[in-house]
Amino acid sequence: MNKYVIKGGNILSGDVSVSGSKNAVLKAIIAACLTADTVEIKNIPLISDLFIMLELVKEIGGKVKLSGHTLKIEVQDIKSVKIPLEIGAKIRTSSIFLAPLLSRKKEALIPNPGGCRIGARPIDRHIEGLIRMGATAKYDSLDGYFHLKTRGLHGSNYKFEKNTHTGTDTLIMAAVLADGRTILENAAEEPEVDDLIALLNSMGAKIKRSKPRTIVIEGVERLHGTTYEIMPDRNEAVTFAILSALTGGKIFIKNVEMQNINGFLSIFKKVGGDWEKKNSGVRFYINKKIKPTNIATAPHPGFMTDWQGPWAIFMTQAGGDSTIHETIYENRFGYVNELTKMGANMRMYSPIVKNPETFYNFNYYNGEKDHMQGLKIHGKTPLHNAVMKVSDLRAGATLVIASLIARGESIIYGVDYLERGYESFDRRLKTLGADIAKTEEEEFLE
Ligand code: EPZ
């Protein structure tokens, strides 16, 4: 496991470019498997999740060629319908291979993507939709695979019971070659879904958003190759924006798509933050006391769950009490224990919610366990160094931000998680003036 050693307190300044979006590129790779032609994808983030997905493309018989930040994928014929457990179980998006496998080979074996550190993350909403489109599905707990078959996917009207970002991605990609029209209702509005729609339409698909949360797909015979540039990463943009505001406000972030982070901008402004746009980018800063506030995460266009970790750090520096109510995942506060080691004054609590079964985006089972979906943060608390361990990707970014503003030298183990979603994070922070070093290290002993 790699570790970061960070000396906090430096003012950071300079330009940083936001990479291509992890949550767009992982689906673009799968979209490329829907055609026998070559698909070229630009603005690829060189993150470990990308390489896992390219392994899977090769496993099903595809050819991949990566040069710099441009990727070429060609899946002339799918030679295997099985996504191997040892690779597939590492990454949530392995389940989306269901779409090209069922569309082109009428069969798919995918490992249960299973829970991870942020929640159960089942794919029941994906499977239900595929069954409506003419697939049969069974989960074999002995081999740990979902077994799906179809005589041919057909169009269907399907309403998601609750928002699902990758569920929407999966059913769009299952519908583009299906026989007839598919109407997806209560479909996700995340901008990464729009990026996928734009890519697929450039490959000859016929997809449009007809009204809010409704997507209409007319099945076509085949898709053709294309060249497509991935959108910038919204999570990176917000991570660097919060970092800038906390370290002197002198970081210019290049290629931020402001329209995709309105859920953050409105709250940032409310607590006293501001930004300046210049040709080289956007500089986020705060020149006054940070005001405390209460937020609840929500599907797009709300405050995104992936932003709440970095936001929690921001609120430790606000003058007063703030809260974060996490409504998307059951276990998204993996960073809290680590931050309390740094002197953060925060504790989890159970917000009173009238109908948790419908209010929460995850599948809520009454009394299953005491859902601590709320975090109370008291500020302003100066943070000091600590030895910490990363629990999940976005919690990792949270610990790095905290260490960069804390007094003293902090050590963060398990930064491999971070590298799943942030390309050369340490190198980019160093160019901004951070005192950060990465070294190989033994597994952190609890
Ligand atoms: C995507 O996850 C992103 N990942 C997540 O980013 C992001 O946090 C999330 O959307 C919300 O925007 C990718 O796109 C690869 P969901 P996804 O399906 O699609 C439950 C990151 O750090 N659910 O919208 O898995 C689910 O468990 C990651 O980049 C079911 O119960 O999110 C979750 O609690 C983290 N059954 C909630 O719904 C289902 O069939 C939202 O899930 C599907 C989802």
Side-chain angles (χ1 to χ4, degrees), residues 22-24 26-27 49 91-93 96 116 118-128 160-169 188 190 192 233-235 298-300 304-306 326-330 332 360-365 392-394 421-422:
K22 165 179 96 76
N23 294 342
L26 299 182
K27 292 67 170 274
D49 274 9
I91 189 165
R92 167 93 178 155
T93 44
I96 314 177
C116 69
I118 60 176
R121 302 188 81 177
I123 55 170
D124 49 303
R125 299 169 207 164
H126 307 220
I127 301 284
E128 263 163 51
F160 288 100
E161 178 218 345
K162 289 184 180 180
N163 194 69
T164 166
H165 180 163
T166 44
T168 303
D169 296 329
E190 273 73 11
E192 293 79 10
D233 192 298
R234 292 189 294 145
N235 288 329
H300 195 74
M304 191 177 183
T305 171
D306 296 351
E326 171 58 49
T327 71
I328 308 291
Y329 289 107
E330 312 92 300
R332 200 97 215 244
Y360 287 118
N361 193 196
F362 54 85
N363 299 337
Y364 181 95
Y365 303 107
D392 63 79
L393 165 56
R394 304 302 169 188
Y422 295 91

Side-chain angles (χ1 to χ4, degrees), residues 4 6 8 239 243 313 339 342 388 390 393-406 410 412 415 418 425-426 429 434 436:
Y4 285 162
I6 297 174
T239 302
L243 180 62
I313 302 294
L339 290 187
M342 301 181 86
M388 298 173 278
V390 175
L393 165 56
R394 304 302 169 188
T398 302
L399 301 186
V400 170
I401 295 174
S403 304
L404 288 167
I405 63 168
S410 296
I412 305 175
V415 294
L418 254 174
F425 200 40
D426 55 316
L429 291 172
I436 178 170

Side-chain angles (χ1 to χ4, degrees), residues 5 108 129 141 160 169 179 192 240-242 351 361 377 406 442 446:
V5 179
S141 53
F160 288 100
D169 296 329
D179 178 20
E192 293 79 10
F240 282 116
I242 292 174
N361 193 196
I377 303 161
E442 297 307 309
E446 288 293 344

